[in-house]
Amino acid sequence: MLKHMKLSELAAGESAEILAVPPERPLAERLKMLNVAAGKQIKVLRFAPFGGGVMLEAEGVRLALCGSLAAKIAVIKREPKGDGV
């Protein structure tokens, strides 16, 4: 099952595929250079306390994003299948 959400809604340790980033040109280009672009896989490493930023890994690149930017990045998370075991 697929679940659409914002990067800021993921929990530490979860992985997802990026669907969309903010379209502003300088920002989108910079994020693309850091492997944060549509179709790329990311993993949330940890969140800063008190609503701060998020540290993530994007296909080998580790970076931190402010919380407001993470809330603007759309991702899709694949829910594990329940096998009843």
Side-chain angles (χ1 to χ4, degrees):
M1 179 178 220
L2 304 175
K3 185 175 181 185
H4 297 242
M5 56 199 324
K6 299 295 180 183
L7 173 58
S8 58
E9 296 174 323
L10 293 172
E14 290 186 315
S15 298
E17 179 181 333
I18 298 174
L19 292 176
V21 298
E24 294 84 27
R25 190 173 186 117
L27 175 61
E29 289 176 357
R30 178 69 176 143
L31 289 172
K32 186 175 182 180
M33 287 189 281
L34 296 168
N35 289 338
V36 179
K40 299 287 187 175
Q41 297 292 318
I42 57 100
K43 180 177 181 179
V44 175
L45 301 176
R46 64 180 164 264
F47 285 92
F50 308 109
V54 57
M55 179 170 265
L56 57 100
E57 184 171 334
E59 297 190 359
V61 176
R62 287 186 175 207
L63 66 146
L65 301 176
C66 67
S68 61
L69 177 55
K72 295 178 183 177
I73 298 175
V75 299
I76 188 165
K77 183 175 80 166
R78 299 188 189 285
E79 297 287 339
K81 292 181 183 177
D83 58 1
V85 176

